[in-house]
Amino acid sequence: MTENHELPAERRAAPKPAGVPSGDRSTYPSGEGQRSPWAWIPTLYLLQGLPYVVVMTLSVVMYKNLGISNTDIALYTSWLYLPWVIKPLWSPLVELLGTKRRWIWALQFLVGALLACVALTLPVDRFFQLSLAVLWLMAFASASHDIAADGFYMLALPTHQQAAFVGIRSTFYRVANIAGQGGLVYLAGELTERSGSAVFAWQVVMAVLAGVFGLVAAYHLLLLPKPSSDQPAPRGDFLADFWTVFKAYFAKPGILVVLAFLLFYRFPEAQLLKLATPFLLDPVDQGGLGLSTKQVGIAYGTVGLIALTLGGICGGLVISRIGLKKALWPLILAMHVPNLVFLAMALTHPTSLWIVSSALAVEQFGYGLGFTAYLMFMILVADGPHKTAHYAICTGFMALGMMLPGMWSGWLQDQIGYVNFFIWVLVATIPSFLVTALIQVPDGFGKKQA
């Protein structure tokens, strides 16, 4: 029998849980318009990341600048996770209706139009309700775009190129985060200082984003490759095909433990994430650090996200060296222990932007390390003939694990203050450690073979 390490690189298959069938990994996509992956992967994943940043992060800063309470910000922006939670329910539609290429550029034009609508709602009465409604629609469009983009990536590249460019797609997704949480937040702060109007500043930011989406969507309409395999799936009995995909997922070995891990691995981070920006912006007499919007863009949106990206890269290297099973506990400790920096800042209220930026860099670097373990476990669970849909189901449970704890986090912080809230975040790591102890990871999974 041929050992796995003797196979060509493009034919190696990662170990997987027993009972999970393996799909065909060797088909090279062919067809009209093959282009260098460098011509479209950076822009595709830049536009995959930006709407998520707008919906989940920029909205928090924007509403804080516009005077909305922490309780309302955490509750209502957490609801915006819902489209990512339930996207597996319509992921088969992307497989069955039209090509993924068409889904991609059409949804990008739609997101651009919705960003323009957000800009138009900000000066009017009931702007909070109206802008939330538009962001809700944008979240559905973005979640659908994620399904199409990830599926197109697998269809348009042979397996060895998928592996080669996975770091590139991740990098440009992170660039979108840095551009959004760093550059655009800084721009909003600068415009607010110059104009004296936070409303005007955020209108400009949303209008700039709308223009970017329109231009890149037109670029993709013209220049995305057209792999011959990008065709609608054969339509049999739609409901039967739909339920077959779901039944196969929930029939996986140890599925209850898998779901517990997906829901609780990021339980403390789900709560911390919603209050990190308000904590940085709130004045010292309210327990915050009293940073300006521009300073938050530098410290959290730029320095922090660069550290997060570097942590993700290092986490991937660690897993490729020793495998997920051996790396799992070091990575989860690296993810949760640095949450102590928020408690330390809440107790000491540092005034130096360098100190705050350094503390956030430590926390975000650890988060990047730990999150790679989570992503690799989802890849392990999704492996099989329905991996596109099954990965979407995994990300749905991931989003649910972020949505529910985030909803109450703002209310909890308002009740107990920032110091006690950050103590609670440390206590909330216990469920994460418990579910990590229960999962099963095959020896050598994720480890680069000789």
Side-chain angles (χ1 to χ4, degrees):
M1 179 180 292
T2 303
E3 294 294 330
N4 188 50
H5 67 271
E6 296 175 350
L7 293 174
E10 63 270 22
R11 296 289 304 278
R12 293 178 195 139
K16 52 194 176 296
V20 180
S22 178
D24 179 11
R25 295 168 174 266
S26 61
T27 302
Y28 192 105
S30 61
E32 177 190 351
Q34 288 188 20
R35 293 182 176 87
S36 167
W38 287 102
W40 57 273
I41 288 177
T43 52
L44 178 63
Y45 281 90
L46 189 69
L47 262 63
Q48 181 171 324
L50 279 173
Y52 186 84
V53 173
V54 171
V55 171
M56 302 313 309
T57 304
L58 287 191
S59 64
V60 174
V61 183
M62 179 178 73
Y63 289 137
K64 189 68 181 176
N65 288 167
L66 298 178
I68 306 299
S69 70
N70 287 356
T71 298
D72 286 343
I73 290 172
L75 175 62
Y76 292 108
T77 62
S78 290
W79 271 111
L80 296 174
Y81 274 116
L82 187 61
W84 283 278
V85 174
I86 63 175
K87 74 178 181 181
L89 297 179
W90 72 85
S91 60
L93 294 177
V94 179
E95 299 276 356
L96 296 171
L97 302 177
T99 66
K100 293 176 179 63
R101 185 184 191 277
R102 186 177 302 154
W103 278 96
I104 287 169
W105 60 257
L107 287 166
Q108 288 171 355
F109 276 120
L110 176 60
V111 169
L114 292 171
L115 285 163
C117 290
V118 173
L120 294 174
T121 64
L122 295 182
V124 304
D125 293 336
R126 303 179 67 84
F127 76 91
F128 185 48
Q129 294 87 342
L130 291 172
S131 60
L132 275 173
V134 178
L135 289 173
W136 181 268
L137 295 175
M138 191 188 305
F140 274 100
S142 179
S144 303
H145 181 271
D146 291 354
I147 299 168
D150 290 339
F152 185 81
Y153 177 85
M154 289 186 281
L155 293 175
L157 296 177
T159 305
H160 71 277
Q161 279 196 319
Q162 291 179 37
F165 277 87
V166 70
I168 303 303
R169 58 180 267 191
S170 176
T171 296
F172 278 90
Y173 190 90
R174 294 300 184 193
V175 167
N177 280 260
I178 294 170
Q181 292 181 232
L184 293 176
V185 169
Y186 185 91
L187 175 62
E190 181 69 23
L191 291 172
T192 300
E193 291 180 7
R194 293 192 177 193
S195 67
S197 170
V199 172
F200 170 76
W202 283 103
Q203 279 188 293
V204 172
V205 168
M206 293 300 168
V208 168
L209 279 169
V212 169
F213 265 82
L215 290 173
V216 181
Y219 172 82
H220 286 159
L221 171 61
L222 297 172
L223 294 177
L224 276 181
K226 299 178 181 179
S228 59
S229 55
D230 185 19
Q231 298 294 333
R235 297 189 196 179
D237 185 334
F238 176 78
L239 287 178
D241 293 342
F242 183 86
W243 287 114
T244 295
V245 172
F246 275 85
K247 285 167 61 179
Y249 182 85
F250 289 101
K252 289 179 182 289
I255 189 61
L256 292 180
V257 172
V258 168
L259 297 181
F261 181 84
L262 295 176
L263 290 171
F264 287 103
Y265 183 78
R266 295 203 291 168
F267 184 60
E269 274 68 30
Q271 299 168 80
L272 179 62
L273 180 65
K274 284 298 175 186
L275 273 299
T277 300
F279 168 66
L280 298 174
L281 289 169
D282 271 336
V284 175
D285 60 6
Q286 295 180 20
L289 296 188
L291 300 184
S292 68
T293 300
K294 287 168 59 176
Q295 289 175 318
V296 171
I298 295 170
Y300 196 47
T302 304
V303 175
L305 276 171
I306 290 172
L308 177 70
T309 303
L310 293 175
I313 293 171
C314 292
L317 292 173
V318 169
I319 293 173
S320 70
R321 284 288 185 87
I322 65 176
L324 178 59
K325 187 171 185 177
K326 291 183 178 179
L328 185 58
W329 281 102
L331 291 179
I332 189 177
L333 287 170
M335 183 176 187
H336 292 325
V337 172
N339 290 339
L340 284 165
V341 303
F342 276 97
L343 178 59
M345 288 192 292
L347 290 169
T348 61
H349 297 95
T351 57
S352 168
L353 186 62
W354 285 102
I355 294 175
V356 174
S357 298
S358 299
L360 292 173
V362 170
E363 187 271 335
Q364 289 289 282
F365 183 79
Y367 183 58
L369 284 169
F371 191 54
T372 55
Y374 191 77
L375 292 176
M376 285 303 298
F377 185 74
M378 290 200 298
I379 290 172
L380 172 65
V381 172
D383 191 28
H386 307 295
K387 55 180 173 285
T388 299
H390 285 184
Y391 192 83
I393 295 173
C394 286
T395 61
F397 280 103
M398 175 180 71
L400 182 63
M402 295 296 287
M403 176 182 129
L404 296 178
M407 290 173 67
W408 72 62
S409 60
W411 172 85
L412 180 63
Q413 184 278 320
D414 277 341
Q415 300 303 308
I416 64 177
Y418 279 114
V419 171
N420 290 329
F421 175 76
F422 293 133
I423 292 173
W424 160 248
V425 167
L426 295 175
V427 174
T429 61
I430 295 173
S432 180
F433 289 126
L434 291 176
V435 295
T436 301
L438 294 175
I439 63 170
Q440 299 293 321
V441 178
D443 289 332
F445 175 74
K447 183 177 181 180
K448 182 178 179 179
Q449 301 297 321

